[in-house]
Amino acid sequence: MDNNINNNGKKIVLSGIQPSGDLNIGTYFGALKNWVKLQNDYINYFCIVDMHAITVRQDPSVLRRRTLEVAAGYIACGLDPEKCALFVQSHVPAHAQLAWVLNCYAMFGELSRMTQFKEKSEQHSDNINAGLFTYPVLQAADILIYNAHLVPVGADQKQHLELSRDIAVRFNSVYGDVFTVPEPYISKEKSAKICSLQEPAKKMSKSDKNVNATVLLFDKKDDIIKKFKRAVTDSDTAVRFAEGKDGVNNLMTIYSCATGKSYDEIEREFSGKGYGDFKLAVGEAVADALMPIQKKFGELMSDRTELEKILKDGAQRASRRADRTLAKVYKKIGFLQI
Ligand code: TYM
């Protein structure tokens, strides 16, 4: 019997977002929206992974501000602090403590193969620090410390999830069933990878320097519409989902996420119309979908005391479970208990 399932038969979900840039519609449609859907059926842990963010240089005051903004973003997007422990990763020291242990069960070779490490090493060639290299081990610790069953993420995190599973299996094979082996939850829909509006073969990224490439969760309606008008498409004119039409495919995916319409419905809606009409409709639909989130975000950011209370409570709830796992791990590996 899995002793991490509670009396109501609920399993555990964990996920996190780095406060390394402003939240955008990629993070929202690819991850956060799924978390909101899952929250009623699971025991939920959602963190803001500030320790991961410092693998790239951060301005301390900006990092502090963004950490709070991501927390407010979680709630504004629909996470309920009563149903979910919402917390900051560095407020639960057991993550870092377990990460050190797991570093001794992760192999140099497997970490060297991580695509994100290779990409970030190229982007930050002046700062290829050890934290960037062991980043996925800290991510494994985030997950395994709660014995999470399910980890809802976008498609780009699949490799890190596989590594977390490998580390769990390796550890369990030495010490018995200590960790639950987590399953990734990656939406089967195209929203698992929302792409850049300027380079539609690439993922929309928080750290993109081109402001027209990403739509931020807190962009104004006019800016959202402008960004979609400038979105890169192709020389065809028909709105249809097809091979080689990355830009249009991406816009159709975003429109589908914002309206709930299927690709067939979208093709019918814009049959005989050009890209201009379509881009305007996508911009308006996204702005409308974000409006209630933006309103709620504003309210939350104006009451910092309440936000801090939620994060403190979340960290306490998370620590209770995390500390239990850490104690078990320390005992298993032979750390002296006094
Ligand atoms: P991060 O902060 O880059 O992104 C947060 C979540 O959003 C998803 N995502 C996207 N999905 C679809 N399209 C996009 N354009 C897009 N951009 C981002 C990501 O897949 C992710 O689910 N390493 C993680 C953070 C992390 C974590 C964890 C996640 C740390 N510990 C434990 C899960 C469990 C990251 O960098 O996500």
Side-chain angles (χ1 to χ4, degrees):
M1 152 102 185
D2 184 342
N3 59 11
N4 289 304
I5 297 177
N6 78 353
N7 294 338
N8 301 324
K10 286 187 175 175
K11 293 185 173 185
I12 298 165
V13 156
L14 171 126
S15 202
I17 296 178
Q18 295 190 67
S20 53
D22 295 328
L23 288 175
N24 64 46
I25 58 167
T27 345
Y28 175 55
F29 291 134
L32 259 167
K33 215 175 161 193
N34 289 326
W35 304 2
V36 174
K37 275 191 224 147
L38 294 171
Q39 67 178 334
N40 289 326
D41 302 323
Y42 289 86
I43 304 168
N44 309 283
Y45 295 92
F46 294 118
C47 49
I48 298 123
V49 293
D50 54 348
M51 293 195 298
H52 277 106
I54 61 158
T55 53
V56 168
R57 289 279 173 267
Q58 302 291 337
D59 174 324
S61 62
V62 175
L63 180 61
R64 262 190 294 275
R65 170 175 60 76
R66 283 216 179 105
T67 302
L68 271 182
E69 285 175 356
V70 175
Y74 281 6
I75 304 168
C77 287
L79 291 178
D80 177 351
E82 296 283 322
K83 296 179 186 158
C84 314
L86 306 178
F87 62 100
V88 179
Q89 185 187 35
S90 66
H91 295 178
V92 182
H95 289 235
Q97 291 169 299
L98 181 64
W100 177 256
V101 174
L102 298 183
N103 268 322
C104 305
Y105 297 83
M107 299 301 149
F108 183 87
E110 61 192 353
L111 293 178
S112 316
R113 287 193 289 277
M114 294 292 118
T115 325
Q116 190 171 306
F117 171 65
K118 289 185 204 159
E119 282 171 6
K120 287 210 172 159
S121 304
E122 269 175 34
Q123 286 163 12
H124 306 277
S125 54
D126 56 335
N127 180 25
I128 308 176
N129 59 73
L132 201 58
F133 187 64
T134 60
Y135 176 112
V137 183
L138 178 58
Q139 182 161 348
D142 296 339
I143 299 166
L144 302 184
I145 197 88
Y146 299 101
N147 280 303
H149 297 86
L150 206 63
V151 185
V153 284
D156 63 316
Q157 294 301 312
K158 191 163 177 266
Q159 199 186 28
H160 286 168
L161 258 291
E162 278 161 10
L163 181 74
S164 300
R165 287 170 59 85
D166 290 346
I167 293 176
V169 169
R170 188 173 300 143
F171 195 92
N172 286 352
S173 72
V174 182
Y175 301 104
D177 268 346
V178 178
F179 295 126
T180 302
V181 181
E183 292 291 336
Y185 177 91
I186 300 173
S187 164
K188 298 220 169 25
E189 292 150 34
K190 295 279 187 286
S191 64
K193 188 179 176 192
I194 301 291
C195 293
S196 152
L197 298 188
Q198 292 300 312
E199 292 173 88
K202 272 178 41 185
K203 164 188 111 147
M204 185 179 283
S205 161
K206 281 199 262 4
S207 52
D208 202 316
K209 299 261 183 304
N210 182 345
V211 292
N212 288 319
T214 52
V215 175
L216 305 182
L217 231 49
F218 307 110
D219 271 344
K220 293 198 183 73
K221 182 167 185 167
D222 288 351
D223 293 329
I224 296 175
I225 290 176
K226 252 187 246 153
K227 287 182 182 183
F228 280 107
K229 273 191 182 157
R230 290 181 188 146
V232 168
T233 46
D234 52 54
S235 55
D236 188 17
T237 50
V239 175
R240 61 191 171 88
F241 201 94
E243 187 94 17
K245 285 171 69 77
D246 290 344
V248 171
N249 295 350
N250 188 39
L251 294 181
M252 286 180 73
T253 300
I254 294 172
Y255 191 59
S256 167
C257 289
T259 60
K261 292 177 185 168
S262 70
Y263 292 141
D264 282 348
E265 285 172 302
I266 299 171
E267 285 180 9
R268 277 199 299 278
E269 184 178 347
F270 293 97
S271 149
K273 295 185 185 156
Y275 286 166
D277 287 343
F278 176 50
K279 285 179 174 180
L280 182 63
V282 183
E284 284 185 336
V286 169
D288 288 349
L290 296 184
M291 206 158 61
I293 298 176
Q294 297 186 345
K295 185 167 174 283
K296 178 91 186 155
F297 178 81
E299 289 162 13
L300 289 157
M301 285 306 286
S302 66
D303 189 353
R304 186 171 165 153
T305 314
E306 177 58 20
L307 205 50
E308 286 180 358
K309 197 165 145 265
I310 291 170
L311 291 175
K312 203 168 170 185
D313 173 62
Q316 279 167 356
R317 277 151 68 190
S319 291
R320 274 198 289 279
R321 190 178 288 271
D323 290 347
R324 276 208 307 271
T325 310
L326 189 70
K328 187 170 177 187
V329 168
Y330 276 9
K331 196 167 170 201
K332 288 278 181 186
I333 56 180
F335 284 177
L336 179 66
Q337 318 279 303
I338 49 172

